Amino acid sequence: MLLLHLKFLNKIVLKQIFTSIKLLSCKGKKFYHLIHQLTGYYPSDAHLYRLAFMHKSLMYKGHNGSEINNERLEYLGDAILGAIVAHELFVRYPDKNEGELTKIRSRIVNRINMNQQALRMGLGELVQTQPQTDVAQTHIPGDALEALIGAVYLDKGYKAVTRFIVDRLMNNLDDSESPIQNDTNYKSVLIEWGQKNRCEVHFVTEEYPNKPEGQNSFIAMVYVNNELAGKGFGGSKKEAQQNGACEALSMLVGVEV
């Protein structure tokens, strides 16, 4: 029994040594330092970070037939991101009510901002897809950023991922990009939400019938999976669609905008 136990320990030690050798290879060392540059931490489990950049289009399969991609890490990172941003805003703005805090949080974690932050960090060049696509025009970079958050959490823990999110995502915003100062393009946010959640979003906009003089000229009906999710009025088609998307977001995800 003791001999078997020693053999098991030797296997673990050899595996750790082998992993270290791979890390010290030219390619592994470069990736090791790249993760440190992105997150501020050297990875203990480099596999998690490599997985964070593997898009589902690669169609990789594990030994047990399960898919190998970043979707599970993205799911985890999305939840961690929302919780940490909510807590940080709660501490930073003691004078703001629940609705105001929710509005600010939604502007930080929405797909548009996450994509912008991911591209700024250079994640667009790290994501692996098949076939190779211009990921800058998709939500893929933002998804990879959420997966990266999940990887940092699993590898380094809650305190480390909190520091990463606050330092690299929240404190990194310029004044011109402040979620408190800027209004969100609600239509774009809703469309991004639909893409991520595999929901069809479409707008039906027409002139508002029998409108009083000087009142709103257009009405926009917002449909999600062919069900009415919001309605907006405005002096232009664009304004009506924005107001309709705003109402739809409030109904669908509980975001007060």
Side-chain angles (χ1 to χ4, degrees):
M1 181 66 69
L2 179 60
L3 182 60
L4 288 174
H5 184 64
L6 289 173
K7 285 183 177 180
F8 178 72
L9 289 176
N10 284 336
K11 284 183 179 180
I12 295 176
V13 172
L14 287 173
K15 184 177 180 180
Q16 291 175 337
I17 293 173
F18 182 66
T19 301
S20 299
I21 291 173
K22 287 198 299 182
L23 252 179
L24 291 174
S25 67
C26 182
K27 186 177 180 180
K29 190 174 182 180
K30 182 178 179 181
F31 184 76
Y32 189 71
H33 287 288
L34 178 60
I35 296 302
H36 178 261
Q37 184 179 1
L38 285 171
T39 67
Y41 304 103
Y42 287 108
S44 299
D45 185 353
H47 170 71
L48 284 172
Y49 299 90
R50 294 188 187 280
L51 187 61
F53 302 126
M54 294 174 61
H55 188 253
K56 64 181 179 180
S57 61
L58 294 172
M59 301 294 288
Y60 286 159
K61 297 284 186 180
H63 295 301
N64 60 357
S66 62
E67 294 185 358
I68 300 176
N69 57 54
N70 65 1
E71 286 192 326
R72 283 171 54 84
L73 282 176
E74 177 195 338
Y75 156 79
L76 179 61
D78 179 52
I80 295 295
L81 173 68
I84 290 174
V85 170
H87 178 262
E88 182 67 16
L89 294 177
F90 182 86
V91 173
R92 287 190 184 190
Y93 306 111
D95 59 325
K96 294 190 179 299
N97 61 36
E98 179 269 344
E100 291 173 312
L101 292 175
T102 302
K103 185 176 180 180
I104 298 170
R105 183 187 63 186
S106 71
R107 291 175 179 173
I108 294 174
V109 304
N110 74 63
R111 307 311 307 162
I112 295 175
N113 183 59
M114 290 299 289
N115 274 342
Q116 290 174 344
Q117 296 301 319
L119 291 171
R120 173 183 290 174
M121 295 170 68
L123 300 192
E125 299 175 5
L126 296 176
V127 178
Q128 300 179 56
T129 62
Q130 185 63 41
Q132 294 296 316
T133 58
D134 182 9
V135 297
Q137 305 304 317
T138 71
H139 57 83
I140 293 175
D143 294 344
L145 178 52
E146 290 181 347
L148 178 61
I149 290 170
V152 174
Y153 170 71
L154 290 176
D155 190 43
K156 297 298 179 182
Y158 193 81
K159 287 185 178 180
V161 76
T162 297
R163 182 178 175 183
F164 169 62
I165 289 172
V166 172
D167 290 350
R168 304 299 171 97
L169 299 182
M170 297 185 69
N171 293 344
N172 195 36
L173 292 173
D174 298 330
D175 289 339
S176 61
E177 298 173 313
S178 170
I180 299 177
Q181 300 296 328
N182 286 351
D183 287 330
T184 298
N185 184 331
Y186 299 121
K187 182 178 179 181
S188 295
V189 172
L190 178 61
I191 291 172
E192 291 281 357
W193 177 89
Q195 291 173 343
K196 182 173 182 181
N197 291 277
R198 296 178 175 83
C199 296
E200 180 186 354
V201 177
H202 72 275
F203 294 76
V204 176
T205 309
E206 55 190 31
E207 284 195 82
Y208 190 60
N210 304 320
K211 66 178 180 65
E213 189 67 28
Q215 297 298 312
N216 293 324
S217 303
F218 294 92
I219 178 173
M221 314 290 283
V222 185
Y223 293 88
V224 176
N225 289 340
N226 295 318
E227 293 188 6
L228 183 64
K231 183 188 302 182
F233 301 89
S236 66
K237 289 184 178 181
K238 181 177 180 181
E239 182 182 2
Q241 290 176 353
Q242 286 291 334
N243 290 334
C246 176
E247 181 176 287
L249 283 169
S250 297
M251 294 292 293
L252 292 167
V253 295
V255 175
E256 293 190 35
V257 286

